[in-house]
């Protein structure tokens, strides 16, 4: 399994684990009893008028590498209403909705958008999540998708 640390200015808050390849058991594992957290919370400290919320750590990494401050939430059930406070004051909060699943990506985006005033749902093209879209189209493709000028 790949260890995915949740880092903040205070250090490592938790670690989640991602199974590599196909296999038995869950794709992700968390530390037992650990509450849901925002992945890449340091993106909230980046001076910017916009930020992206992704479903998953790897999508947040891909968006960040494209130059977009981005955080990740570990799925629909991991979103907590109190997270919405973190996104006040942004001109735009892009919710990057996966389209490589059975509708969970849009379910996630709609749930989050209900709670954030300046939310803009941006669905990825059919068959893609943020990571696969950036791999296929490059960082500029994601910036174009969101109509963000550099």
């Amino acid at each position: 399994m790949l260890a995915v640390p949740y880092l903040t200015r205070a250090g490592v808050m938790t670690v989640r684990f991602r199974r590599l390849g196909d296999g038995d058991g869950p794709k992700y594992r968390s530390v037992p009893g650990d509450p849901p957290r925002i992945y890449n919370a340091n993106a909230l400290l980046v001076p910017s008028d916009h930020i992206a919320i992704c479903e998953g750590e790897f999508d947040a990494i891909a968006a960040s590498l494209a130059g977009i401050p981005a955080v990740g939430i570990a799925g629909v059930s991991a979103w907590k209403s109190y997270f919405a406070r973190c996104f006040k004051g942004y001109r735009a909060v892009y919710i990057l909705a996966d389209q490589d699943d059975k509708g969970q990506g849009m379910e996630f985006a709609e749930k989050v958008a209900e709670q954030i005033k300046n939310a803009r749902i941006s669905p990825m093209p059919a068959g893609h999540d943020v990571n696969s879209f950036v791999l296929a189209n490059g960082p500029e493709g994601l910036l174009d998708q969101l109509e963000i000028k550099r």
Side-chain angles (χ1 to χ4, degrees):
M1 295 195 109
L2 178 67
V4 181
Y6 277 51
L7 303 171
T8 69
R9 291 185 343 182
V12 176
M13 299 284 79
T14 193
V15 178
R16 288 193 69 219
F17 303 93
R18 167 75 159 76
R19 184 183 72 224
L20 299 175
D22 295 328
D24 294 331
K27 189 175 182 180
Y28 284 94
R29 290 186 188 260
S30 297
V31 175
D34 204 25
R37 299 176 191 271
I38 296 174
Y39 175 77
N40 194 30
N42 288 335
L44 296 164
L45 303 175
V46 174
S48 178
D49 64 348
H50 61 271
I51 193 163
I53 301 173
C54 303
E55 184 183 4
E57 299 92 349
F58 292 96
D59 288 345
I61 292 168
S64 295
L65 290 174
I68 302 165
V71 300
I73 305 297
V76 177
S77 63
W79 175 262
K80 300 301 175 197
S81 60
Y82 54 84
F83 289 168
R85 291 184 293 212
C86 298
F87 303 97
K88 288 185 177 182
Y90 288 97
R91 180 183 55 77
V93 178
Y94 298 99
I95 304 170
L96 308 184
D98 295 350
Q99 295 283 8
D100 65 342
D101 51 27
K102 296 177 182 157
Q104 300 97 314
M106 283 305 294
E107 179 186 349
F108 170 79
E110 290 165 359
K111 179 178 181 177
V112 174
E114 288 175 0
Q115 299 175 31
I116 297 177
K117 182 179 178 182
N118 295 326
R120 299 179 186 182
I121 296 175
S122 182
M124 295 296 103
H128 285 282
D129 61 10
V130 179
N131 188 44
S132 69
F133 182 79
V134 171
L135 286 172
N137 299 283
E140 292 298 326
L142 184 59
L143 294 171
D144 290 345
Q145 169 89 2
L146 301 177
E147 299 178 352
I148 294 176
K149 306 272 189 244
R150 280 199 163 206

